[in-house]
Amino acid sequence: MAMQGGAIAMTAIAVTMSLLSLLILLLRRAKRDAEVLFAVVSGSLALSLMSPWMGNAPEWIKWTVAIGGSATCNGFWLVSRVLFRGDHGVRLRHVLLAAGVALLIALHRGTAMQANASPSMLMVAIDAMLTLTSTSLLALSFLEPLRGWSMKWTPAERRLRLSFMVVYGSSVLSTTLLGELAHAFPALAPWRAGIVALCASAMIVFTHLAFRHRRKVPAPSNRRDLTAPGKQVQTPCEDDARLAALLRHQLEVLQVYREPDLRVAELAARLGTAEYRLSKLITRQLGERNFNQLLNRHRVAHACKLLAMPVGVDNILHVSAESGFASLGPFNRAFKTIMGSTPTEYRAACLKGEPPSIPNGELLGVRLEQVDCR
């Protein structure tokens, strides 16, 4: 009884940590791909940990937990790819594969929670496919840090990757072994539940520490040399167009300009290019004076959208922080330079239905759609 009580307590702690992780990630202003994915994994992990205790719950709750808790190992595989490959480590095909595994997990757990469920050929096939795919994804996640291993990496980068393998590998190994032992010795089942909860908590803490490191030091680029045998050589214009498309994704989709401490070197590393190449694209191809001007244009454009809202925007300091400015002074100066009025004046004009016109029609438009190849 004491053993079972301890397992319940550890599970409750792990569920609380999972929900706290989800809340922290959702409240973060500028979310990266890995953080969005891990927010999904955190919520799914909380539901997955609760699934064994759903025996007497209504049918719809069982299926909600089964479906919601189906993005654990498959979701974390996507997280590991982005963590060690950068923001473009996950493509549509990877998401589709993870979604397929999620469907198998949901079907498996949903039927397992049914009372007096008799196995069928379909369920046996689903179990077999689930075992194969989940084992493969667990192995891929474990091996992801070794991809492109280089002694040129910093000691901190190598330590991060090796630590991931130790924490992740020991968690998977211990829960798998205890799972097999629990089948032979049912008395060990509470131990397994407690260890699963402990391992889940360890992975949550470690992943958040890894995110903290990644915010300071992006994943090193592993792009292959485009001049290698068998590779089609890209012209400088084509390479600039590709880089411009990646930059546009960072600015318009990921909204990296909302990160107040973003530096050109960090963004270049995320894009897998050299700092001088990104700076050259910004100044020569896009016509910006420098990197900070590019960010400020996007930040002011974002601030204008917030200030134009009819309700809920009464604090200029909040608008400044939400738009990526570190303090109110730089925000006011940048806003007046670009818009010709202060944020307060712009807000008042918006409330009257007379927002100031933007000086210079292209002032807030960034010319990323096409790159001049001449």
Side-chain angles (χ1 to χ4, degrees):
M1 182 66 74
M3 187 185 302
Q4 187 173 6
I8 294 175
M10 293 177 70
T11 301
I13 292 173
V15 169
T16 302
M17 291 183 65
S18 300
L19 295 176
L20 182 61
S21 170
L22 173 63
L23 182 63
I24 291 172
L25 293 168
L26 290 179
L27 293 178
R28 184 158 290 162
R29 286 204 314 248
K31 303 177 184 65
R32 299 183 182 180
D33 289 353
E35 292 166 339
V36 173
L37 289 169
F38 193 58
V40 175
V41 172
S42 297
S44 182
L45 188 59
L47 292 174
S48 178
L49 289 167
M50 290 189 292
S51 62
W53 317 105
M54 295 290 108
N56 297 322
E59 199 74 13
W60 67 270
I61 293 182
K62 290 182 180 181
W63 277 104
T64 300
V65 170
I67 295 172
S70 61
T72 49
C73 65
N74 48 339
F76 198 78
W77 169 61
L78 299 179
V79 173
S80 67
R81 289 184 63 91
V82 182
L83 192 59
F84 297 113
R85 299 191 188 210
D87 288 335
H88 299 280
V90 173
R91 305 293 185 186
L92 178 60
R93 61 182 180 272
H94 304 124
V95 175
L96 292 177
L97 176 58
V101 177
L103 178 61
L104 293 177
I105 294 174
L107 290 174
H108 173 77
R109 288 183 174 168
T111 54
M113 288 189 292
Q114 303 301 309
N116 302 320
S118 57
S120 63
M121 289 298 296
L122 177 60
M123 294 314 303
V124 171
I126 289 176
D127 287 347
M129 288 189 293
L130 179 59
T131 300
L132 176 61
T133 54
S134 60
T135 302
S136 300
L137 293 185
L138 289 172
L140 289 173
S141 299
F142 176 75
L143 296 174
E144 188 61 40
L146 295 178
R147 178 181 177 274
W149 183 274
S150 173
M151 293 308 294
K152 295 180 180 179
W153 290 343
T154 63
E157 181 67 29
R158 296 198 297 270
R159 283 196 300 270
L160 172 68
R161 292 172 178 253
L162 291 175
S163 299
F164 175 90
M165 296 182 72
V166 171
V167 176
Y168 185 77
S170 59
S171 297
V172 172
L173 184 62
S174 59
T175 54
T176 302
L177 289 178
L178 276 174
E180 294 299 324
L181 290 173
H183 285 301
F185 305 99
L188 294 177
W191 277 100
R192 181 180 184 274
I195 293 298
V196 167
L198 179 63
C199 291
S201 301
M203 286 307 306
I204 289 172
V205 172
F206 180 86
T207 305
H208 276 278
L209 292 175
F211 286 161
R212 182 179 179 182
H213 176 79
R214 277 290 175 253
R215 283 191 164 267
K216 299 177 181 177
V217 184
S221 174
N222 286 317
R223 286 199 312 147
R224 296 179 180 178
D225 187 355
L226 294 175
T227 61
K231 288 284 182 181
Q232 183 178 358
V233 179
Q234 287 186 328
T235 66
C237 176
E238 290 172 334
D239 209 24
D240 283 345
R242 180 197 63 81
L243 183 58
L246 295 177
L247 177 59
R248 183 180 183 183
H249 177 78
Q250 290 284 331
L251 291 170
E252 298 181 3
V253 179
L254 301 182
Q255 298 184 333
V256 294
Y257 56 83
R258 297 176 67 191
E259 301 177 27
D261 298 324
L262 184 65
R263 298 290 182 269
V264 62
E266 180 180 351
L267 183 56
R270 295 186 199 178
L271 297 174
T273 190
E275 180 180 345
Y276 81 89
R277 286 202 61 245
L278 179 57
S279 297
K280 180 180 176 181
L281 176 75
I282 291 171
T283 56
R284 296 189 183 182
Q285 297 286 5
L286 304 182
E288 300 288 354
R289 187 170 68 249
N290 52 43
F291 175 69
N292 287 333
Q293 179 176 281
L294 175 70
L295 290 186
N296 283 345
R297 290 190 192 280
H298 280 80
R299 288 167 176 168
V300 169
H302 187 81
C304 286
K305 294 178 183 178
L306 296 178
L307 293 169
M309 292 180 178
V311 293
V313 182
D314 299 319
N315 191 328
I316 300 299
L317 180 61
H318 175 72
V319 173
S320 170
E322 281 295 309
S323 301
F325 288 94
S327 60
L328 192 57
F331 171 55
N332 284 327
R333 289 192 294 272
F335 197 96
K336 186 163 181 71
T337 298
I338 293 175
M339 298 303 300
S341 64
T342 66
T344 302
E345 293 169 345
Y346 185 88
R347 171 65 174 164
C350 287
L351 293 177
K352 294 179 182 179
E354 302 173 353
S357 60
I358 300 175
N360 184 352
E362 290 189 348
L363 198 54
L364 296 179
V366 182
R367 298 171 294 280
L368 291 169
E369 290 81 2
Q370 58 182 21
V371 173
D372 187 2
C373 296
R374 293 174 294 177

